[in-house]
Amino acid sequence: MRRNPRYPTTLKPVALLALAACQAGGALAQTPGALPEAPLRLQLSPQLQESIPEAARRQQPTFLSGDRMSGRTDLESVVEGNVELRRGNTVIRADRLEYYQPSDQARARGNVYINRAGNVFEGPELELKVDSFEGQFLKPSYKVLRNGGHGEADRVDFIDENRSVARNASFTTCRRDPGPSWMPDWILRAASVKFDYETEVGVADEAVLRFKDVPILALPSMSFPLSNRRKSGWLPPTLSLDNVSGVEVTVPYYVNIAPNRDATLYPSVLSRRGFNLGGEFRYLESSYNGVVRGDWMPQDALRDRQRWNLSAGHVASLGGLLPSRTPLELGIKLNRVSDDNYWRDFPRASSSLTQRLLGSEANLSWAEGPVSARVLVHKWQILQDVAAPIVPPYNRLPQVSASWRGSPAAGLDVTVSGEFTRFEADALLTGQPNARRMHGVAQVSRPWVMPGWFVIPSAKLQWTNYQFDAALPGGALSASRVLPTLSVDSGLVLERQANYFGRDFNQTLEPRAFYTHTPYRDQSTLPNYDSGLNAFNFASIFRDNPFAGNDRIADNNLLTLGVTSRLLDPATGAEAARLGFAQRLRFRDQNVTLPGGAPVSERLSDMLLYGSLAWTPKWTVESTLQYNPKTRQSERSTVSARYSPGNYRVVNAAYRLQRGNSEQLDVGWQWPLGDLVGNPGVDSGPGRGLGEGRWYSVGRMNYSLRDRKLVDAIVGLEYDRGCWIGRVVLERLQSSGSSANQRIMFQLEFSGFSRLGSSPLQSLQQNIPRYQLLRQEITAPSRFSNYD
């Protein structure tokens, strides 16, 4: 029996009947005199689903074609020459195929090829139940869709559509080159490899991993991912070398508890310190989420004591506790370590921005409409150093606050707030008594905001009362303060069309004037619990109080003038450039200061100048300057620039000056070294690299120009071989004025398989803005990307 080359033969006549019905319907539609039908509309097709439901798959027809076909209808068929069997997401090709329809059994011989949902197998002989996908394949080679892995085996047993076992198998993700002598850079050989495409996990028994034909890892059983999906099991060992702790070997174990919960254990051995057990637990629920991290070292050989650290974060929405539509919001943060030297010995362990000040807090907040309330408990752990002692900040045990904001009359904005705080610390170190403080604020403003201008007059009254645990030097056990503040904020927003360097823009001119007046009240005898000087910048210069906190309210009679101009893209609104200027004019001296401070008598403050330029997406430049007109010097300045012409190419540079305190240069980068020799490679997009055989330089360096020494640095090289990536990274963290922690990290990343060595990726991502991973799955591969 010969097949029609234009139409394959189907073993289920339903498909031909449906085709005939469609042809008949088309003929009827073309009958003369018939009314015209509505235009055809595209409909979603279930045939393009990534996974076909079993009920639908059983209803799908089987198509069988070849050069020569014989057999009995609805029983068996024998097809020879260019054979193809197709059902749903399964395609089988061979030189000869016998198909028994009652048992759904197929036997294929000669150049057998299977494509099952994008996973491909090729070999000489196959026996398979097509629908249940049970059977075996002799001497096959195979390729996995999700991670591009491939290999060979003596036999592959198909358990079902999602599971198979390769016997005496190999596995690698290295691209195969032509020729019989090809050998992959890395290869996994195992007595058996179990593939589970449902859980997307592979398990190799009696496995040996070889790199450059050198065995580097042998395990009785090991699992590896077939995608980026999470799975439980041992993670690759990590290795690093630290100048203080010595050689560190960690063998992590990951526990995938549930889709919304997981944990990782980090048992480690440090050659100079001993055993350490670290761990992390993460959870995510509809009404709460959090993470808990910790380390425990039973005995540190260098310090001769137990060491530990614990950090946690928890956020929860507590609905149903109050008769209101808005639930209570709970937040908990915990940071604790075992001793004062922990930050010096383990500088990477703490997530706190201040390594020697570890804050822990619990807060409960609620807001509904114009009313809000909050209860906070905050406590510090201070890691003291004899050479550089710290005056401890105050614990808040507790702090209770509430506020109301509304418009009782047309056009008026009214805010009333109150706060109670109990301040506690070691009075011998702070030099002042602990206290209870109550602070209240009532503010009324009448904003006029129109297109092109705004005026906002405001009146504020602040009341503060202190109750001290011990008498002040003058003998007082309590103190009170009442202060009014008047202010007017106003500005214009002018706009015009402009053209610069051949580009059209909308240019703005935004002058602003802010006046504030607060009378003088002597506050020199009041202790300071939480007040500090605000940083002098464009945000703080338009405030009515230069101090943060509530212990100091400055006596102000000043006018702040500023102007900003921006260039905006008329099509997108993107900001291409900005220039800004601001300065204060003081009409009388400011006599309220922080303890030990001097009154401010200058009538003109330092000038603030700001500029930014983003003329093209490749370049971004920003600069801020605080200029003292009296000394004709900049008191503080920052200049930063970023150049990023494409993927894996970024350079960040910043210069920071704080006169009399610090002067630093900060440079960070990720750049392919091939650019230096005129070989830029091929940009395949994020997560794909620039091609095989390429080197990348990565790093960030912070250099103190004042001290003429390197402060912190991370410098490394990455090599992309296609199926593997090698990294060598040197990290240096300053732990004190005369000492630093240094470590070197090595990593081999086998693409689509696993990573061996310490993980410098977290350090690179945290320190280099816009650092990109050379391998990252942006979108999951589709079976239609390997469709036959």
Side-chain angles (χ1 to χ4, degrees), residues 149-171:
H150 60 92
E152 298 176 347
D154 288 346
R155 188 180 80 235
V156 171
D157 297 329
F158 298 109
I159 310 302
D160 55 36
E161 63 173 335
N162 290 316
R163 293 178 297 163
S164 61
V165 180
R167 309 291 182 182
N168 193 19
S170 65
F171 181 84

Side-chain angles (χ1 to χ4, degrees), residues 520-710:
Y520 172 74
R521 295 290 187 273
D522 184 11
Q523 302 166 50
S524 59
T525 60
L526 296 179
N528 180 25
Y529 297 104
D530 65 355
S531 282
L533 192 64
N534 284 318
F536 190 64
N537 52 40
F538 276 87
S540 64
I541 199 171
F542 289 98
R543 292 178 181 170
D544 56 22
N545 189 14
F547 301 114
N550 297 318
D551 289 317
R552 292 295 183 271
I553 300 174
D555 53 321
N556 283 327
N557 187 7
L558 55 83
L559 175 67
T560 303
L561 298 175
V563 62
T564 300
S565 181
R566 297 179 293 159
L567 294 181
L568 306 176
D569 188 289
T572 64
E575 187 177 287
R578 177 194 289 246
L579 291 174
F581 166 84
Q583 189 176 27
R584 282 174 174 166
L585 286 74
R586 192 177 303 278
F587 300 111
R588 72 161 186 244
D589 293 354
Q590 176 190 314
N591 294 308
V592 176
T593 66
L594 294 173
V600 182
S601 59
E602 288 82 2
R603 291 298 179 258
L604 290 177
S605 72
D606 291 349
M607 292 187 292
L608 286 178
L609 296 98
Y610 174 83
S612 67
L613 183 65
W615 202 261
T616 70
K618 299 179 181 179
W619 279 97
T620 301
V621 181
E622 293 186 56
S623 179
T624 302
L625 176 67
Q626 179 182 338
Y627 180 76
N628 188 328
K630 188 175 181 179
T631 61
R632 297 185 179 181
Q633 288 183 325
S634 62
E635 296 297 324
R636 185 169 53 187
S637 58
T638 301
V639 181
S640 62
R642 174 181 294 155
Y643 176 61
S644 181
N647 288 315
Y648 313 106
R649 294 177 174 91
V650 62
V651 177
N652 306 281
Y655 169 80
R656 301 181 182 91
L657 168 68
Q658 191 167 355
R659 191 166 301 279
N661 188 14
S662 65
E663 185 178 10
Q664 294 184 343
L665 183 64
D666 194 341
V667 180
W669 70 91
Q670 179 187 28
W671 204 269
L673 296 180
D675 287 7
L676 303 179
V677 295
N679 186 9
V682 179
D683 190 347
S684 302
R688 298 176 179 270
L690 299 175
E692 296 185 9
R694 302 199 170 273
W695 288 89
Y696 300 79
S697 174
V698 293
R700 182 171 182 175
M701 303 179 69
N702 188 292
Y703 183 79
S704 174
L705 298 173
R706 181 184 180 186
D707 301 326
R708 296 184 179 181
K709 68 177 184 180
L710 193 65

Side-chain angles (χ1 to χ4, degrees), residues 23 59 159 168 219 307 317-318 330 357 504 524 550 559 598 618 636 718 751 754:
Q23 291 173 338
Q59 300 299 319
I159 310 302
N168 193 19
L219 292 172
R307 315 294 295 277
S317 180
L318 308 178
L330 173 66
L357 291 175
D504 292 331
S524 59
N550 297 318
L559 175 67
K618 299 179 181 179
R636 185 169 53 187
E718 296 180 297
S751 302
S754 187

Side-chain angles (χ1 to χ4, degrees), residues 343-639:
W343 68 277
R344 182 183 288 107
D345 294 342
F346 306 100
R348 305 169 189 89
S350 175
S351 59
S352 175
L353 296 177
T354 53
Q355 288 185 313
R356 296 177 58 192
L357 291 175
L358 305 181
S360 298
E361 69 175 47
N363 71 82
L364 195 63
S365 60
W366 171 83
E368 183 169 344
V371 181
S372 63
R374 183 175 184 236
V375 178
L376 169 70
V377 176
H378 189 284
K379 187 175 180 62
W380 295 97
Q381 181 183 10
I382 301 95
L383 307 185
Q384 294 288 6
D385 187 346
V386 177
I390 296 177
V391 177
Y394 278 88
N395 302 316
R396 304 178 187 187
L397 303 173
Q399 183 179 76
V400 182
S401 60
S403 67
W404 175 87
R405 182 172 182 175
S407 299
L412 289 180
D413 284 346
V414 178
T415 301
V416 178
S417 62
E419 176 189 285
F420 168 82
T421 308
R422 166 66 182 176
F423 293 103
E424 288 189 5
D426 188 342
L428 296 178
L429 297 177
T430 61
Q432 57 187 27
N434 296 333
R436 298 181 300 276
R437 186 189 69 192
M438 290 184 289
H439 181 76
V441 180
Q443 181 173 355
V444 180
S445 62
R446 175 45 171 107
W448 283 277
V449 180
M450 299 293 178
W453 62 273
F454 67 91
V455 176
I456 306 176
S458 177
K460 181 193 296 185
L461 183 66
Q462 300 184 74
W463 169 80
T464 312
N465 177 264
Y466 296 87
Q467 299 293 326
F468 305 112
D469 288 0
L472 297 179
L477 289 172
S478 64
S480 296
R481 176 193 62 193
V482 179
L483 274 172
T485 297
L486 299 176
S487 65
V488 179
D489 194 4
S490 61
L492 300 174
V493 182
L494 308 176
E495 187 174 309
R496 69 164 187 167
Q497 295 180 347
N499 184 285
Y500 296 100
F501 304 103
R503 288 182 60 181
D504 292 331
F505 294 101
N506 290 335
Q507 182 178 11
T508 69
L509 183 65
E510 304 169 46
R512 184 178 178 184
F514 176 78
Y515 173 78
T516 182
H517 180 270
T518 303
Y520 172 74
R521 295 290 187 273
D522 184 11
Q523 302 166 50
S524 59
T525 60
L526 296 179
N528 180 25
Y529 297 104
D530 65 355
S531 282
L533 192 64
N534 284 318
F536 190 64
N537 52 40
F538 276 87
S540 64
I541 199 171
F542 289 98
R543 292 178 181 170
D544 56 22
N545 189 14
F547 301 114
N550 297 318
D551 289 317
R552 292 295 183 271
I553 300 174
D555 53 321
N556 283 327
N557 187 7
L558 55 83
L559 175 67
T560 303
L561 298 175
V563 62
T564 300
S565 181
R566 297 179 293 159
L567 294 181
L568 306 176
D569 188 289
T572 64
E575 187 177 287
R578 177 194 289 246
L579 291 174
F581 166 84
Q583 189 176 27
R584 282 174 174 166
L585 286 74
R586 192 177 303 278
F587 300 111
R588 72 161 186 244
D589 293 354
Q590 176 190 314
N591 294 308
V592 176
T593 66
L594 294 173
V600 182
S601 59
E602 288 82 2
R603 291 298 179 258
L604 290 177
S605 72
D606 291 349
M607 292 187 292
L608 286 178
L609 296 98
Y610 174 83
S612 67
L613 183 65
W615 202 261
T616 70
K618 299 179 181 179
W619 279 97
T620 301
V621 181
E622 293 186 56
S623 179
T624 302
L625 176 67
Q626 179 182 338
Y627 180 76
N628 188 328
K630 188 175 181 179
T631 61
R632 297 185 179 181
Q633 288 183 325
S634 62
E635 296 297 324
R636 185 169 53 187
S637 58
T638 301
V639 181

Side-chain angles (χ1 to χ4, degrees), residues 192-251:
S192 67
V193 180
K194 303 179 183 69
F195 295 97
D196 191 328
Y197 301 107
E198 186 175 15
T199 61
E200 298 178 343
V201 172
V203 178
D205 296 325
E206 299 179 29
V208 177
L209 179 63
R210 305 179 73 91
F211 179 66
K212 295 295 184 178
D213 206 26
V214 176
I216 60 173
L217 185 65
L219 292 172
S221 180
M222 66 177 298
S223 61
F224 57 93
L226 299 179
S227 68
N228 286 340
R229 188 171 177 178
R230 304 183 312 181
K231 67 178 185 67
S232 297
W234 291 103
L235 301 178
T238 66
L239 174 67
S240 64
L241 180 62
D242 189 286
N243 68 319
V244 176
S245 300
V247 178
E248 180 177 352
V249 180
T250 305
V251 185

